């Protein structure tokens, strides 16, 4: 089964909402980005694209595209799911790295929303701090890693090598 790895990091700044996995998290700062800055969904998108051999999020949604400014990352997920065509998502595992806010109490809600956006596939979500180390540990940014596993959609033949 093809597996893809995704990583993303966004800077935390004033006067932005904080969206993680499509869930609005109450916090004094939010993630800077051309889109809504949802670092978790971006990592998931790169994991999906990677597993399907479809390049990366920057190819699919170029920074210079003015129509993507402020775009809801949930819409980006929907577009990538449509790109997968002969693949179906089997499993997604996500690790958020944030010193603040504390995400432990939000893990269930974020995992549930990512799962919904992916059509109900199992999503496991872990939240870690960076132990006070570096820019992540100083609360300057939030990062996310994701792994996705795909399987051939029923009724499609697996390509033979
Ligand atoms: Mg991003």
């Amino acid at each position: 089964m093809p597996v893809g790895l995704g990583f993303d990091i966004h800077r935390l700044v004033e006067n932005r909402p904080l969206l993680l996995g499509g869930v609005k998290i109450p916090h004094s700062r939010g993630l800077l980005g051309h889109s809504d800055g949802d670092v978790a969904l971006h990592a998931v998108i790169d994991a999906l694209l990677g597993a399907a051999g479809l390049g990366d999020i920057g190819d699919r949604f170029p920074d210079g595209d003015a129509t993507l400014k402020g775009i809801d990352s949930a819409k980006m997920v929907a577009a990538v799911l449509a790109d997968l065509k002969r693949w179906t998502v089997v499993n997604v595992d996500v690790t958020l790295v944030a010193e603040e806010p504390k995400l432990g109490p939000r893990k269930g809600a974020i995992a549930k929303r990512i799962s919904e956006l992916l059509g109900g596939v199992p999503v496991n979500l872990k939240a870690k701090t960076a132990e006070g180390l570096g820019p992540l540990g100083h609360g300057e940014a939030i990062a996310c890693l994701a792994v996705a596993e795909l399987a051939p959609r029923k009724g499609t033949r697996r390509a033979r090598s």
Side-chain angles (χ1 to χ4, degrees):
M1 300 296 189
V3 169
L5 170 68
F7 169 78
D8 198 20
I9 183 166
H10 282 249
R11 191 181 294 271
L12 269 171
V13 296
E14 308 279 335
N15 301 314
R16 290 272 295 186
L18 178 58
L19 280 153
L20 293 172
V23 177
K24 192 167 181 195
I25 310 286
H27 190 49
S28 58
R29 294 180 295 158
L31 295 173
L32 187 64
H34 183 65
S35 67
D36 64 7
D38 192 325
V39 71
L41 292 186
H42 295 180
V44 168
I45 285 170
D46 258 348
L48 295 172
L49 291 172
L54 295 175
D56 68 29
I57 193 169
D59 300 329
R60 183 63 180 77
F61 305 99
D63 259 5
D65 185 342
T67 66
L68 299 174
K69 187 164 169 51
I71 189 174
D72 176 353
S73 295
K75 290 183 180 163
M76 297 163 71
V77 171
V80 167
L81 283 180
D83 290 349
L84 295 183
K85 294 190 176 84
R86 69 190 184 91
W87 299 107
T88 183
V89 186
V90 175
N91 184 64
V92 171
D93 186 29
V94 181
T95 300
L96 275 161
V97 186
E99 208 68 17
E100 60 174 43
K102 293 296 175 218
L103 295 176
R106 306 273 174 184
K107 284 193 295 187
I110 297 170
K112 181 167 177 281
R113 183 62 186 142
I114 296 174
S115 174
E116 285 170 3
L117 293 173
L118 297 175
V121 304
V123 172
N124 184 76
L125 189 123
K126 306 178 293 303
K128 303 186 72 70
T129 71
E131 298 285 340
L133 297 166
L136 284 169
H138 295 146
E140 294 171 30
I142 293 178
C144 188
L145 296 123
V147 173
E149 183 184 4
L150 304 181
R153 192 177 290 280
K154 278 201 178 91
T156 62
R157 272 170 164 257
R158 203 184 298 199
R160 294 175 188 246
S161 53

